[in-house]
Amino acid sequence: MKTTIVSPKVYTYGSLVLGGVLRDRGHAASITRDLSSDGDLTLLSLFSTSQLLDPGIRDFARRSPRIYVGGPVGLVPEIVLGELEVDAVVVGEGEEVVGDLVEGGPSEEIPGLAFRRDGEVVKTDPVPVSDLDHVMPLIPDDLKSQNVRGANVYIETHRGCLGGCTFCQVPRFFGRSIRSRSLENILAEVREMRRRGVTRVAVSGGTGSLFGYGGAVNKEALIELLRSLAEILGPKNLSVPDMRVDFVDEEILEAIRKYTVGWVFFGIESGSPGILRAMKKGTTPEKNLEAVELAHQSGVKVGGSFIVGYPGETEEDYQATLDFMEEAMLEDVFASVAEPIPGTPLAKLALEYPKEDNPLYREHAGDYRALRLSEAEARCFNLMLHGMSCRPVPRIVDGGIYSALLEEARVQGRDVRRVMDLLAKYRGRIV
Ligand code: SF4
């Protein structure tokens, strides 16, 4: 039987691993980003709620004779089964599930599945994978030409996060204890990727510095990981995008400067202590600023991500974020409209929050009123503009950049409202 793994637009790391599992079980598995592929059986890897609403993906699911969905969207399988014509959803981690699923079809004997039987959704509890040292992923020939934020591929070094941020699915999907892969297993994989032409690798999200965590940050393990990866790839080909501000220090930042492209990305989210508390971020503006300053002193450039339009965010809270940016002088800024990802506490909060007070729906009446934006979109747009000027080397905003940022803010607002509509549609079943 021909099994095709489809990872639309981007090869997710999880899809490569599942491909490796099937290959080692003797299946003729192939992997593609192309939705025009056909096969007797398809595994569809989806990471964002918006993908459930993508007409191309919906049509692809309808056309496929047998199709199973996996990835972070599996956190709330009721929505996946309700929106896509698929035969089953992998609810948690997939590598110990996918072989039995492909070989025997959905069954109550397989943990971590959701499927329909006689119109009812049957769900089995997921079991987290205990040993993350997995098989060699299936590496497609065109992985070397993929570009995701500058890297050919994001690899996973560990799962789980100690944090409990209300908007984030990582601790809900992978749990709050940290499970790490062995250094040997990671290096063998990266050597093979390198042999297959991959040049630029990013250590995947969550919180990079929790690799090897065992009750405390394991600096030695992290530094050895970065040093060894840089030895294979060359220092300017490795990045460690996401870090928590409270899990870095001089030594870690020095290793980042020495062995990687020399950037960190901090999830700063807001300049308002009240909003950081509401998000259960576990940091304060002061801690965020200290970490940014420490990185700069260590010669490391900092990108910061910010969330605007969080339920309850006032004009003063938003102003505090702008003030923070002026003080921090980040080298890059990512602004997002708060997305209530299904399965997160923010999704519940957003549904309960009165629509008329939600910045996502409230019309913006300030400086950008002629642009007909919602308040959340206007804050997102303004923050991105602000991020262009509050840098060590400011960027000139010409007409092209202005239009691109405006479009980005509009698209974000539209996509988040669509996610809200989905949540409302499934409210009784998922909250
Ligand atoms: S946002 Fe980052 S720190 Fe917070 S829970 Fe998610 S991965 Fe952890």
Side-chain angles (χ1 to χ4, degrees), residues 226-291:
L226 300 183
R227 194 196 62 72
S228 308
L229 288 174
E231 210 172 270
I232 299 169
L233 296 162
K236 294 297 167 214
N237 291 318
L238 175 66
S239 51
V240 273
D242 300 304
M243 290 283 185
R244 261 187 80 100
V245 297
D246 41 0
F247 293 143
V248 291
D249 65 7
E250 286 97 337
E251 267 184 87
I252 291 176
L253 289 163
E254 168 61 16
I256 287 171
R257 190 193 59 74
K258 200 163 153 192
Y259 300 125
T260 78
V261 293
W263 279 76
V264 282
F265 289 84
F266 290 141
I268 289 168
E269 325 306 1
S270 174
S272 153
I275 291 294
L276 289 175
R277 264 196 309 278
M279 291 175 171
K280 297 200 171 20
K281 186 70 200 178
T283 59
T284 60
E286 291 74 28
K287 277 195 213 166
N288 286 336
L289 198 58
E290 267 170 37

Side-chain angles (χ1 to χ4, degrees), residues 329-346:
M329 293 303 252
L330 305 167
E331 278 80 7
D332 206 355
V333 163
F334 298 87
S336 327
V337 173
E339 181 184 345
I341 299 173
T344 62
L346 175 58

Side-chain angles (χ1 to χ4, degrees), residues 161-165 167-172 205-207 244 269 281:
C161 182
L162 303 174
C165 307
F167 52 84
C168 178
Q169 61 193 356
V170 170
R172 279 94 211 170
T207 301
R244 261 187 80 100
E269 325 306 1
K281 186 70 200 178

